[in-house]
Each structure stands twice: as structure tokens, then as C-alpha cells.
Amino acid sequence: MQSFKKYLNPLYKDVDLVSKFDDLKELTPLETEEYPNLQKVTKIKADSIKNLLPRLDRLEEELEHQIYLIQTESDIDARMEAKGVYNKLLSQIEDLVERINNELIALDSPYFGKIVFQPYESRNDKSLSLYIGKFALVENETHIPLITDWRSPISNIYYENSGPCENVSFDTPIGKRAGDLKQKRQFQISRARINGIYDAKSGNVAADEFLLSQLNERLGKKLQDIVSTIQMQQNKIIRDTLKKPILIQGVAGSGKTTILLHRLAYLFYTYKKEINPNNSLIIAPNQMFIDYVSDVLPNLGVERVDTETYLFWAKKVLGWNDTYTISPQKEDLDIKEYKGSLKFLDILDEYFSMFEKELLEKIPYSRQDIIERRYYELKEEFPNIDMKERLELATDYAFAQKQFKQGNTGFYDSTYDSDVTIRKNIYDYFRRNCDIFSLYKNLFKTDLITKDTSKYTLAGLTQKGRIHNYRMEDLGGMVYLHLKIEGTKMHERDYVMIDEAQDISFVQLATLIKVAKNQNITIAGDLAQSIIPPFYIRDWDDVMRLIKKLTNKDTEYYQLQKCYRTTVEIVEFANNIFKDRFPKSYILPEAVLRHGDDVKILEYDTEISQLADSRIKELVHTIKNEFTKGSVTCALLCKDRNHASTLYNIFKEYEDIIDRRVISYEENDYHSGLLVLPIENAKGLEFDSVIFADVNSNYYKDTELDTRLLYVGITRALHRLYMVKNTKFRTNIFEKKNY
């Protein structure tokens, strides 16, 4: 029988063990004070899970019965009915698995904070004592809240204040409620056991101690939520209001991705009637990144948010299958940059106006002038109607006018069949001329584009049988024109979030802005981490001007400078390299709290691929020691894919010595072990330890691109960083750059 328990948090096997507190010994006074509440909450959660698990068993049995009917039933109607029941049961099982997992998350760590709030208007000086967690919990008998959801308005007091404070307030449906924060307490809880209690009696000291403990325990696993340690500036972004574009510039390790995901979870909670997770979109840089962040939203109780790369999203919008493939021809970076630029957006608009005019003028119908006139009237009166709908309405109008005129004159119409044929011919004409691949291709046969650009582009836009080739930079332009013709209704999203936005083009950005309902879009990136040439975005002001042009709204801009990912030593090492190489306007990362090992420079006489077996084994044992120290993930970062493939083939041979999996970037999933990656694929990720391979003048010149690659690679490290250099190809990257 098919079992869905494999999709459950493994903690479900230990519910009975976790809910018994026989192991509590030698408690501190604070633990003695706090454990009764934790035991009460744990019992409620454990009982809930114990009730839900048998329900999952019953649904699995019913599903198995429907499978049997589908396979054995000879009657077609009965088989169809069984399929309908099967689909319904499957949906119920998916919902139940999601619910059980949420309960298991709450059982493991039901809350992380506590506030004692004294309202000013309270009678008898009665204070509110609230525990704050990922999910709310109310006691059935008394209806007293045992846990308050971190997204609720009153929980904002916890995030906005580092310790006890007078005259704090939170929003309620009837206005602000003010009072004094008497206590702020923070917990480390795992498997329903208190591992640490931090009382913020003197403000920042305890808050920093709690944050430091959390950062020190981070391991290079998949990205996790940060609800217990959201900082004040992060909290402000997460809780910012709906219906406004937001742009975040954040240094490496500042939590941009985490903020995006927590903001989504907050918005779905706060505006549940206005936005839906099922109709929201996250655009991410690559498949490994998507896998890396895949646990965060489910851990926050949010499921089924569509997370895509721009390539896959755009092909869905265009309705393209695998017969549409990226051209293998060599790129021209100057032309690629042009076709992603703001100037090219203006060209697309101008070309569309030309196409629209010519399309209307050549309608195969004697009353073409009526259709054209009505089309432009509709465009003026109803600018939100898409082109396709305007064409249909204008055509209907022309035929209706003909019938009205004949009715007034008493003319007997014997041309109905002829009109049906004419109308069909008109619609066929529209459809043929609105084929997006051909339409975009025709742009490069006009005088709007230079001959060199046209020749290069047409060489990449080819069709042979069913196979269509296109260059990646042409995809955004085709989606842009497609949305002008088809409109955005079919593709509109309640909320759009774009991560690592510094590496997408202005044309791609424009298409995503257009499908964001009510300007519900958050864009995050770091200009210093733009590592995919050409560098489209050099100033976020250009992005904000584009948003203003398309939405008529100003953008809320946030700048994050603090790096929570890596240690003070690694951040200072990076800043010493890059402070003279980045523009003066760029604000370098500021390390937060955490110290660690110094950066290690490993020097060899030649590149890794040329080393003798004995020297390779030295590096292999260095990597093995990282896992012995407790690392879960270790990244061997390479300049590009060829470099990564070469080193993967070498280190794969030493997998037994390393005693961990050696993983190629081609696997796309974020695994524990030694990941051999080009820096491009490591963007946005983090690892316990990073070994930077072959930092030498053969691979890394003192250029803008190589500087950015080094910056991205160095800032992937959580705890330890090794730079492998050699004497054969020396580099001046470790030296101060003088201008």
C-alpha cells in the first residue's frame, strides 16, 4: 500500500517520547518557572498529532481501494467515478500531511519568545503574558491564547524592542494600544526541551547573546526560518504594507532571501482575503537555489507558492514546450546588454505601435475602417483591456453596426453565412499575425534595429521543423510583446518576489512588474554580486524609474548593510580585498557579533588539477577535517563550469577518504557533503566551509567580473574559508589596488 508518511517530519515517530518529561533533572530557577507551560503546550500538540495520524492511515486505505477499483472495474462510468474519488482523497491526504507537519513543527519548538505587556488602560494593573511562536494555539476549554502567532500585531512589540521598554504600542482593529513592555524573554527549544533561556533585562546585551547563540549553531543545511531572531530593520521590511513596490539592496549575508520568504508568510497571514499563496510567484536564479530555499515557507505554514527561474516562468507564459530551446551560438555581450536595456524597452513599445497600426490597416474586410476606429476608441476608454480583446470587440461592433443599419432600412439580410466566413477569416488573420516568435523576429527586419544587431539576432532566432531556437536575452522581449497582445489577466499574480535581481535584465523586470497585481512586488539583490555578464543593473535608481513608469508608483527602498552569515574574520578579509575595488558609493558588509577562525591561505606550486597525488591528498584531508569539525556542507568553488567539472572528476576519486558524498553542480539539488560548484551556481547559497580553488592569475584577473566572482565566493562561507593559491600563476588579488 502506498504510504505518505515518508513526507512527514521524522519527529512523528517520537511523539510519545517527546511528550513525556521524565528526563527533566536539575532544572535552573528559570527552567522551573517555564517548563509547566511548555509541558502543557506539548501535551496539546502531541494529542493533536496522535489523533491525526490514524486519519492518515484511513485515507491511505481508502485511496488504495480506489486504485483497486480503477484497475479492475470494467464499467467505464464506475471507473471514472473511482478516479474522481481517488483525486479527492489525494487532495485530502496532501492537506492532512501539511497539517500534521505544521503540528510537528510546533511540537518540536512551539515558541521562541515571551513578552509581558502592561496596557495603560488595564484595570487592576493586570498584565498580558504572551508566548510567541510560528503558529497560534488557543486552549479549547478557556479560549485563552497559549501561543501568539509571530505575525500578529502584538508580536511586533517583541521584534521592535530589544528589552523592557516604556510606552510601546501595537495596532488593533480599533486603533493603537499602548503600554509598557515589562519583560522580553527568548528561548532555544528543540524536541520540546529548553536548551537556553535569555532574559533581555538590560536591552541589547541579552538580545545579542541570543542572536549569537543562534548564528553559532547554524549549519550549512537548507535555508531555515529566522522567526526567533528577526532584527528590527528586517522586521520593518517584512511587515511593510501591501500594494506598493519594494526594493531591497542588501550586502552578502544580510538575509535578503530570508526576508523575502518571511515577508510572504506575513502577507499571506495579514492579507489572506487579498492575496493567495497559490497565485503568487517567486523568481529565483537557478534550480539549486530553489531546492535550497524549499523548506522555509512550509516551515512557516505556507505551501504551494510557485517558485521558478525566469526561463521556466517565461516559457509557461508563452505556452512553449521543449521544442523551443536556447540557441547554442556564441553570445555577443554588448548586443545582449542592449536587448535587455531600458532603451530596448522603448524600441519594443515603438515597434508594437507600428505593428498595431499595420495590423488594423490590413484587416481583410471592406469595413476595416470601422473596426480600426472602434479599436482605438476602446483603447482610449478602456486602457486595461488587452489588444486581443479589443480586436474581438471592435470586430463584433463592426458587424453589429452592419446589422443595425440593415434593420433600420428594412433590408433583408441574406449574407449571414458569408459574414460568418468573413469573421472567421478576420480572426485567422489576427492569429497568424500575432504569432509571437514570428512577430519578434520581424522586429529585426525593421529600421528600428541596427544591421549588426539584426544579423546577430536573426542568426539565433531559427526554426527548423518544430524546433525553435532563441537566445536567452530574446525571451524577455517576446514575453513583453506577448503581454501587450494577450494582456496580463491570465498571468497576473497576487504577489511577485524576485531574488538575486541584479542579474536579470530591465526587459525581464518589466514583464514581472506587469504581472504583479496592484503593484504587489518585492525585488531584492546586491549590485556587488552581479556575476552574469552583461551587467544590466548598475544603479537601482534605474529600476525605480522603470517601476514608476509602469505602475505610476514610487518604490520603497531599503538598504541592508549587516552581514549575519559569516564571521568577523571572513568579512574583514573580504573587505580588505574589495574596499579599493568596488565603487566608493558601495557600502561594504558590516560583520555582526560572531568571531571564528582566521582565513587560511593554502599555497601550492601549481594548479590543483596538476598536483601530484600526495599533494591532492593533503587538500583532501583538509576537507575531511572540516567534516570532522562538524561541517555538514563544504563547497569547493571554481571559476566556471569547465573548472568545476575538472575538479569534480578529481575529487570524486577520493570520496572514500573524505567519507562524504562528492556532488557535482549538475545535480541541481542542495545536498550535504562536498559540493563542487562554479561560483555562478553558488550564488545565494551558504556552506559551513568554503575552499576557493585556484585563486591565481590564470583564472582570476583584476577585472570587474572576476572581482565580483571572488566577492560572491568568499561570502558563501558560514564558519571557515580556505583560499588555494599557487606560485606558478601568481595573483595580485590579495594586494591593495591603487588608482
Side-chain angles (χ1 to χ4, degrees), residues 24-82:
L24 299 183
K25 297 175 183 178
E26 299 181 7
L27 299 180
T28 66
L30 278 180
E31 289 173 338
T32 301
E33 177 187 342
E34 290 294 349
Y35 258 113
N37 184 72
L38 181 57
Q39 287 175 279
K40 183 178 184 178
V41 168
T42 300
K43 184 180 185 306
I44 293 172
K45 287 296 170 188
D47 288 345
S48 173
I49 293 164
K50 289 176 186 177
N51 288 330
L52 292 172
L53 287 172
R55 191 184 304 176
L56 180 60
D57 292 334
R58 290 194 297 271
L59 286 173
E60 286 177 349
E61 290 175 4
E62 292 178 33
L63 190 73
E64 192 69 20
H65 177 63
Q66 296 306 317
I67 293 173
Y68 172 77
L69 292 178
I70 293 169
Q71 292 174 342
T72 60
E73 185 62 63
S74 58
D75 182 74
I76 295 176
D77 291 338
R79 194 159 62 245
M80 290 299 294
E81 183 180 353

Side-chain angles (χ1 to χ4, degrees), residues 55-284:
R55 191 184 304 176
L56 180 60
D57 292 334
R58 290 194 297 271
L59 286 173
E60 286 177 349
E61 290 175 4
E62 292 178 33
L63 190 73
E64 192 69 20
H65 177 63
Q66 296 306 317
I67 293 173
Y68 172 77
L69 292 178
I70 293 169
Q71 292 174 342
T72 60
E73 185 62 63
S74 58
D75 182 74
I76 295 176
D77 291 338
R79 194 159 62 245
M80 290 299 294
E81 183 180 353
K83 287 182 179 179
V85 175
Y86 172 88
N87 290 329
K88 185 177 179 181
L89 287 170
L90 195 60
S91 178
Q92 290 175 357
I93 288 173
E94 288 174 353
D95 291 340
L96 184 57
V97 167
E98 179 183 338
R99 183 179 171 187
I100 294 172
N101 275 332
N102 287 342
E103 294 291 292
L104 288 165
I105 291 168
L107 175 71
D108 179 45
S109 182
Y111 49 82
F112 52 82
K114 176 185 178 183
I115 57 172
V116 177
F117 177 69
Q118 176 66 60
Y120 288 150
E121 74 279 11
S122 175
R123 297 177 182 177
N124 304 320
D125 294 325
K126 188 175 181 180
S127 60
L128 298 174
S129 183
L130 300 172
Y131 290 87
I132 299 168
K134 291 180 188 176
F135 309 111
L137 177 64
V138 177
E139 192 170 33
N140 287 333
E141 293 79 10
T142 63
H143 301 291
I144 294 173
L146 298 176
I147 303 174
T148 300
D149 193 294
W150 69 277
R151 296 164 290 189
S152 67
I154 194 170
S155 295
N156 202 29
I157 294 173
Y158 171 87
Y159 292 110
E160 285 191 335
N161 301 280
S162 59
C165 188
E166 295 181 350
N167 195 26
V168 301
S169 63
F170 66 95
D171 293 322
T172 73
I174 57 172
K176 285 189 179 295
R177 193 176 186 189
D180 295 334
L181 177 61
K182 295 292 188 181
Q183 182 188 74
K184 175 178 177 177
R185 183 169 285 176
Q186 296 168 298
F187 302 91
Q188 282 181 286
I189 299 175
S190 177
R191 291 178 67 86
R193 299 297 183 271
I194 297 173
N195 299 320
I197 301 178
Y198 302 82
D199 246 346
K201 291 182 178 178
S202 56
N204 285 331
V205 175
D208 287 351
E209 185 182 357
F210 179 70
L211 175 61
L212 182 59
S213 70
Q214 301 292 85
L215 293 177
N216 279 330
E217 288 187 2
R218 284 177 67 182
L219 293 174
K221 298 179 180 179
K222 285 187 178 182
L223 191 66
Q224 299 297 308
D225 67 77
I226 59 163
V227 289
S228 63
T229 58
I230 293 171
Q231 301 300 290
M232 196 176 299
Q233 188 183 20
Q234 295 173 331
N235 181 59
K236 184 178 180 182
I237 302 171
I238 289 167
R239 293 175 183 262
D240 206 341
T241 56
L242 204 60
K243 298 181 181 178
K244 64 190 296 189
I246 290 175
L247 177 58
I248 305 168
Q249 158 61 37
V251 299
S254 57
K256 299 181 294 296
T257 300
T258 312
I259 289 169
L260 289 181
L261 299 173
H262 285 68
R263 174 162 171 75
L264 265 185
Y266 170 78
L267 293 172
F268 294 145
Y269 173 90
T270 307
Y271 302 97
K272 55 177 66 76
K273 292 184 179 179
E274 297 180 57
I275 62 172
N276 191 318
N278 295 345
N279 193 41
S280 296
L281 174 68
I282 300 171
I283 293 294

